[in-house]
Amino acid sequence: MEFDPNTPNVARMYDYYLGGKDHFPADREAAEQILRIVPEAKLAARANRAFLGRAVRHLTDLGVRQFLDIGTGLPSQGAVHEVADGSRVVYVDLDPVVLVHARMMLDGQDNAAVQGDVRNPKEILDHPEVRRIIDFREPVAVLLVAIMHFVQESENPREIIRTLRDAMAPGSYLVLSHGTSDSRPDAVEEGTEVYSRATSPLVLRDRAGIAALFEGFELLEPGLVWLPEWRPTEEDTIDFVDDPSSSLGLCGVARRN
């Protein structure tokens, strides 16, 4: 992927929702279009980021010390290597701008940021830096946070995850969040139209479609739930007390047995 400031970029749009500074006029314009259609999008981005932090902390408590974060995006605050301090972390993203930012965050031999496309999982798994840092003979957490809804059905998302799963040792974990058409169905068509003009078109699956992505894994409690409902804390659920579905996404953490 080449750097193009004139085409809305999904990572930079996400950064805009989170109040970051790494975006351009085209990104802001597209993000504002989404916010006019779905005003909850900013809160949803926060809910997604908070889920990532809770999931990583929980897996660290369970003893996981390796994390492969695919589609990491731009936000650096609360990055995985900061939450899972002392763990080995590899960030993977297709966007060269994301990689520049990710590499600026890193300060040790146990972390790396590499270019890769979730649609080509074998290339990610075989990348020399991934192999140097991640020992797939030991449990690893693969993070697919807000990335699979940019994979089209024609690109076989279940096969992508199956390839990753087959490389993971028993006792490994999958962390996944996904935008869903079950929330705000009235806005799906307009929202996906905006993203069709961005670097990655959006595919909002229903609950059954998202659950199918966990094939071969065993979901941890509380299962596949709205973003604020996964092992919540008072601090990061206050915006969604009345309607967790306004977070616009479902999520889960699952174990490979």
Side-chain angles (χ1 to χ4, degrees):
M1 176 186 289
E2 296 182 359
F3 173 67
D4 178 7
N6 298 313
T7 299
N9 176 283
V10 296
R12 297 194 300 260
M13 289 171 67
Y14 186 47
D15 180 67
Y16 180 80
Y17 298 143
L18 288 170
K21 299 178 180 179
D22 296 304
H23 38 71
F24 295 95
D27 310 311
R28 294 192 287 272
E29 181 180 349
E32 284 295 337
Q33 289 180 39
I34 290 293
L35 291 169
R36 285 193 290 272
I37 300 165
V38 187
E40 307 96 316
K42 281 188 176 182
L43 291 178
R46 286 172 49 193
N48 187 74
R49 197 66 185 171
F51 160 68
L52 171 64
R54 295 197 305 274
V56 170
R57 280 191 293 272
H58 181 67
L59 294 182
T60 301
D61 290 343
L62 292 179
V64 177
R65 293 295 180 267
Q66 303 187 110
F67 294 85
L68 181 61
D69 185 1
I70 302 176
T72 184
L74 276 166
S76 57
Q77 189 173 26
V80 175
H81 73 283
E82 296 171 339
V83 178
D85 188 31
S87 296
R88 300 192 297 277
V89 180
V90 178
Y91 296 104
V92 182
D93 207 286
L94 185 60
D95 189 332
V97 176
V98 168
L99 294 176
V100 169
H101 283 260
R103 287 165 180 156
M104 288 174 61
M105 294 190 301
L106 303 179
D107 57 2
Q109 291 298 307
D110 290 334
N111 304 314
V114 305
Q115 189 164 35
D117 189 336
V118 68
R119 293 166 293 190
N120 295 306
K122 189 70 166 57
E123 290 184 9
I124 293 172
L125 294 169
D126 290 340
H127 193 287
E129 277 293 271
V130 174
R131 286 288 175 180
R132 180 180 70 82
I133 293 173
I134 303 295
D135 182 354
F136 287 98
R137 297 169 299 181
E138 300 294 330
V140 58
V142 173
L143 313 180
L144 298 175
V145 176
I147 184 65
M148 294 306 293
H149 52 224
F150 296 117
V151 177
Q152 309 298 303
E153 284 301 316
S154 62
E155 294 165 329
N156 207 341
R158 292 173 70 176
E159 180 61 28
I160 289 170
I161 295 179
R162 190 177 300 120
T163 299
L164 294 168
R165 184 196 70 207
D166 289 348
M168 299 160 67
S172 294
Y173 293 88
L174 172 66
V175 177
L176 185 146
S177 66
H178 197 299
T180 178
S181 55
D182 291 349
S183 178
R184 292 295 307 275
D186 57 308
V188 168
E189 185 174 348
E190 285 185 88
T192 53
E193 171 61 25
V194 174
Y195 273 94
S196 71
R197 300 189 293 272
T199 50
S200 298
L202 185 66
V203 182
L204 296 175
R205 297 179 172 90
D206 61 15
R207 179 178 288 269
I210 297 169
L213 299 177
F214 287 96
E215 178 186 3
F217 292 90
E218 180 182 353
L219 279 161
L220 304 186
E221 291 294 335
L224 181 63
V225 295
W226 296 108
L227 288 163
E229 294 179 328
W230 199 88
R231 300 177 182 263
T233 65
E234 183 177 349
E235 290 79 8
D236 57 24
T237 60
I238 188 169
D239 295 315
F240 301 99
V241 169
D242 295 328
D243 184 12
S245 72
S246 64
S247 65
L248 309 178
L250 295 167
C251 66
V253 176
R255 189 177 191 273
R256 187 197 191 288
N257 293 322

